[in-house]
């Protein structure tokens, strides 16, 4: 459970104690922000936040986290760095940036790219999303949200709805939460179902997994975790149009759910949650996004040995 | 005149007292910068500066203003945020960012978009330009420049020259200055004349408005406010070529103007002001740009309740 | 040797004493970073870092340098600023930004553009690369690396290998090092040979210059300075394919070099140095990149009169 200098590449590297510790430190960060707004905890540290694949929300969340701890930030935001465009390898880029900073946060599109970076450098690396593979900080902020909203992450039933094939958040979350006796309802069109590997990994861990094409099962859960279905995933536009209506959460459909079911979404939302759902007290998705700042503050402080 | 928590979306929301107060606080900010360079007034605040439509000058001016007050800045600079590209609504983006910061500065191309953002969030929002609609901080920095250069904003005669149809700066300025007994000479090719709605609004306020196709009238004013005529506004390139020469300010043409006429321009300038005009003591356009920093410092401090 | 307020546009403007002073201050900056990590030397200063031509490495290095001195940074990173896209001249952009900051760092693609900026404004300007012309901070960090690794910059023999025609780093370096009795082995395909003007300037300064198409000579040097050969430079792709293999540094080829030859490269590297060379103790190129931060800290502190 010593995080100093550690890389955060995949939720599979984190055991139960690790995760609980991260959630605990996140809560302390949130308290600190409430009281002091800005802390000087990392005032002598520099952090590189490198987004070779764009993601406004995750990038701003990390930059906010670093700023609230007074770390100095150097930032790359672009489809590709100019070095990559000139043919530089990811590990060469990493070895250069390593000389500038105390920690590297990286998002890029190559599956396994975060591990390449982590292996190339001595400073700690935080994976902010690599292709359709892993997005560990999203899974952890999801769990922090559950902890805050429900009071525990133990023994929860979760309906994950939408694109379970390409949605890396539901992959990372499945693994991260697997230490806490969950029940999973995977609900998706069959073109976008959860990869077999993940389903069998979950069953191997003794988790009760239900798989379905309809939202009915998911509605029985403690938490409905909605995800966006991307038109581009379908060869046939008509198939997309036909399907997408079945995976939209409305106030009407919610009548079949538990009264206080927690509604989550990694955002951005397109139309898979009707906007009149937003005002329900159990619609947690904007709070969930805001929680990302505390969780990322916790990770930065932990890997830099200041938590 | 209490600005704490207030949105700055349009100059039409500001009354005479509001404007005078903003100019007054801007002067204090300028004094502070002269003395201290960097203040810690907003050291515990975070500001999002989001430019979905690019504008180097306005963006750098806001970032400079925030930095001179020691606010922490999170910044998006791009034709479109990645979230917008994924289909997220402007108000969803705003509600996410709201959780990160104490104030949102936003520029985007949708007319009325700044109001959408302001309505979606609880933190104060400053409009840094929305389409061809409003650019309130430009109008205010223009007035701050008049105040500094002439000593008053009261009773001035202003010739506005160039593209008055699409130029949002002259729209915002017309409204903002309307409280101070101005006389307006609107001078433009007829394809680019001031919108009827604005002309009639000004007349309703009892303002003396002259409309002309030639620069002659404008040259009689206390202030000549030049704007750029964009080639793209003309269907017929020949029409553009024919017209543009008539709206160029040269030393020669200035012989017909008042000796100390104040020459302003929101910049960027292409060739509508000859570069040898730059060295005249009454050529105020670069000083005008620099004044933007003090004005934006004032607004940030005001809406964050620190002025 | 008074640097306060001075522009750093070309290494040709720097005499021997200037250069030694810069190297000396760089060493002090490195010591400071070792001890304090972040200094407050420029805490009341603002620096504009404007990269109209992309360069991740150089940009991050400057931003890191400014941050380690606690300067406030305003940054433009894009193929073109929006103002330039609207037709604004480089000197107008400069005169606007001048009002925001205490120092301008600029990279852009126009040969001589940094001089245009320097002439337009009163604040000091640092050239971060202008077209294929000059890249003075790279030449200085190269020399700082030689000083650190070898103990002196005096009397060194340097083999410069690769694209000597378009490679501005080898141009700037040739001039900067010319004050220190060097011997140059210029080694390139003849399509990419060092410009005649530079060769004759070096000979005029009494420098021993050897020119060759093979790496053999370069391998006898104290330092091998490799550069990237860009495919785009060749009309005939086959010519490129044929040549490029001759200018690749491998462990095998290094057997013919001095045992402790210093291996340098301005980076990014594509495949002109085999990756198994990286682990040799005399492979200095990543350390060289890291040295850029100290050198740029020194220049910022010097021109802002704080060193």
């Amino acid at each position: 459970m010593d995080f100093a200098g550690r890389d955060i590449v995949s939720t599979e590297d984190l055991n139960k104690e690790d995760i609980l510790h991260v959630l605990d430190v996140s809560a302390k960060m949130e308290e600190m922000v409430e009281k002091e707004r800005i802390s000087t905890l990392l005032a002598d540290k520099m952090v590189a936040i490198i987004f070779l694949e764009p993601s406004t929300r995750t990038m701003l969340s990390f930059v906010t986290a670093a700023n609230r701890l007074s770390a100095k930030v150097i930032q790359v935001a672009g489809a590709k760095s100019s070095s990559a465009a000139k043919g530089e390898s990811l590990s060469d880029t990493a070895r250069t940036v390593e000389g500038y900073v105390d920690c590297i946060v990286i998002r890029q599109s190559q599956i396994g790219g975060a591990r390449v970076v982590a292996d190339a450098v001595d400073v700690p690396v935080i994976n902010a999303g690599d292709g359709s593979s892993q997005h560990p900080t999203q899974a952890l902020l999801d769990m922090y949200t559950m902890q805050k909203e429900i009071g525990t992450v133990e023994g929860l039933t979760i309906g994950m709805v939408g694109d379970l094939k390409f949605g890396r958040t539901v992959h990372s979350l499945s693994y991260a939460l697997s230490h806490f006796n969950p029940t999973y309802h995977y609900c998706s069109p069959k073109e976008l179902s959860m990869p077999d590997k993940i389903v069998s990994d979950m069953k191997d861990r003794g988790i009760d997994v239900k798989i379905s094409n309809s939202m009915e099962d998911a509605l029985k859960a403690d938490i409905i975790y909605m995800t966006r279905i991307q038109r581009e995933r379908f060869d046939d536009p008509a198939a997309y149009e036909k399907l997408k209506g079945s995976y939209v959460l409305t106030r009407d459909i919610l009548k079949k759910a538990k009264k206080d079911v927690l509604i989550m979404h990694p955002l951005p939302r397109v139309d898979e949650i009707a906007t009149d759902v937003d005002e329900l007290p159990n619609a947690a998705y904007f709070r969930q996004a805001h929680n990302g700042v505390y969780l990322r503050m916790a990770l930065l402080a932990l890997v830099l040995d200041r938590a």
Side-chain angles (χ1 to χ4, degrees), chain A:
Chain A
M1 215 178 66
D2 185 17
F3 276 91
R6 207 165 140 180
D7 302 311
I8 308 294
V9 169
S10 164
T11 51
E12 292 179 72
D13 305 338
L14 299 171
N15 64 28
K16 184 169 176 168
E17 281 197 336
D18 290 334
I19 292 171
L20 289 173
H21 188 53
V22 170
L23 301 187
D24 193 46
V25 175
S26 301
K28 287 189 181 115
M29 291 295 161
E30 182 163 2
E31 266 172 57
M32 191 279 292
V33 170
E34 292 307 315
K35 265 188 238 153
E36 305 171 44
R37 312 304 297 158
I38 305 283
S39 144
T40 56
L41 201 63
L42 300 182
D44 60 341
K45 298 292 186 186
M46 290 203 52
V47 175
I49 296 181
I50 299 184
F51 274 62
L52 304 183
E53 187 189 54
S55 170
T56 310
R57 184 180 327 275
T58 305
M59 188 187 71
L60 290 182
S61 176
F62 267 112
V63 177
T64 302
N67 270 303
R68 288 216 177 277
L69 294 168
S70 298
K72 306 278 187 186
V73 174
I74 65 174
Q75 208 179 333
V76 175
K80 250 197 162 185
S81 79
S82 62
S83 295
K86 289 167 187 165
E88 186 175 60
S89 69
L90 194 53
S91 65
D92 272 20
T93 302
R95 290 184 69 178
T96 301
V97 173
E98 170 184 36
Y100 302 159
V101 295
D102 302 294
C103 175
I104 295 175
V105 175
I106 186 148
R107 177 169 192 132
Q108 47 76 59
S109 58
Q110 184 186 324
I111 292 179
R115 186 77 68 194
V116 169
V117 170
D119 289 346
V121 303
D122 288 330
V123 298
V125 171
I126 299 177
N127 180 7
D130 56 342
S132 61
S133 174
Q134 276 275 338
H135 194 356
T137 63
Q138 178 73 43
L140 291 166
L141 79 86
D142 291 344
M143 292 181 67
Y144 181 57
T145 301
M146 295 169 194
Q147 173 77 50
K148 271 178 67 179
E149 301 272 341
I150 300 179
T152 181
V153 293
E154 193 70 46
L156 299 172
T157 301
I158 302 175
M160 302 190 198
V161 179
D163 177 357
L164 306 184
K165 183 174 180 188
F166 299 101
R168 59 188 162 197
T169 61
V170 288
H171 303 170
S172 285
L173 181 59
S174 290
Y175 284 100
L177 205 57
S178 69
H179 304 287
F180 300 88
N181 303 310
T183 301
Y184 294 150
H185 296 322
Y186 292 142
C187 164
S188 72
K190 64 174 176 304
E191 294 90 334
L192 298 175
S193 57
M194 185 62 83
D196 290 343
K197 165 85 168 73
I198 297 178
V199 173
S200 73
D201 280 358
M202 294 306 118
K203 288 182 175 168
D204 288 352
R205 293 174 187 207
I207 293 169
D208 185 8
V209 176
K210 292 194 179 68
I211 293 173
S212 157
N213 295 336
S214 102
M215 278 180 68
E216 294 291 319
D217 272 341
L219 289 168
K220 307 283 179 290
D222 301 314
I223 299 165
I224 301 178
Y225 193 105
M226 298 296 296
T227 66
R228 191 164 49 104
I229 295 183
Q230 294 173 265
R231 187 185 299 262
E232 323 64 286
R233 302 303 187 190
F234 289 81
D235 296 330
D236 177 5
Y240 168 78
E241 291 302 327
K242 199 176 128 206
L243 273 170
K244 72 166 188 177
S246 335
Y247 300 93
V248 172
L249 200 64
T250 60
R251 285 204 177 211
D252 203 50
I253 284 170
L254 278 166
K255 287 175 189 160
K256 299 182 200 165
K258 286 193 185 180
K259 199 176 172 319
D260 58 350
V261 61
L262 193 69
I263 306 166
M264 298 181 68
H265 191 302
L267 303 184
R269 165 253 313 259
V270 183
D271 43 25
E272 58 279 1
I273 301 181
T275 52
D276 64 0
V277 171
D278 297 1
E279 306 319 318
L280 297 178
N282 45 328
Y285 28 97
F286 289 111
R287 295 193 296 275
Q288 180 186 356
H290 302 164
N291 287 333
V293 173
Y294 312 122
L295 182 282
R296 287 163 180 136
M297 290 173 73
L299 288 178
L300 288 170
L302 281 164
V303 302
L304 289 167
D305 202 16
R306 292 285 167 85

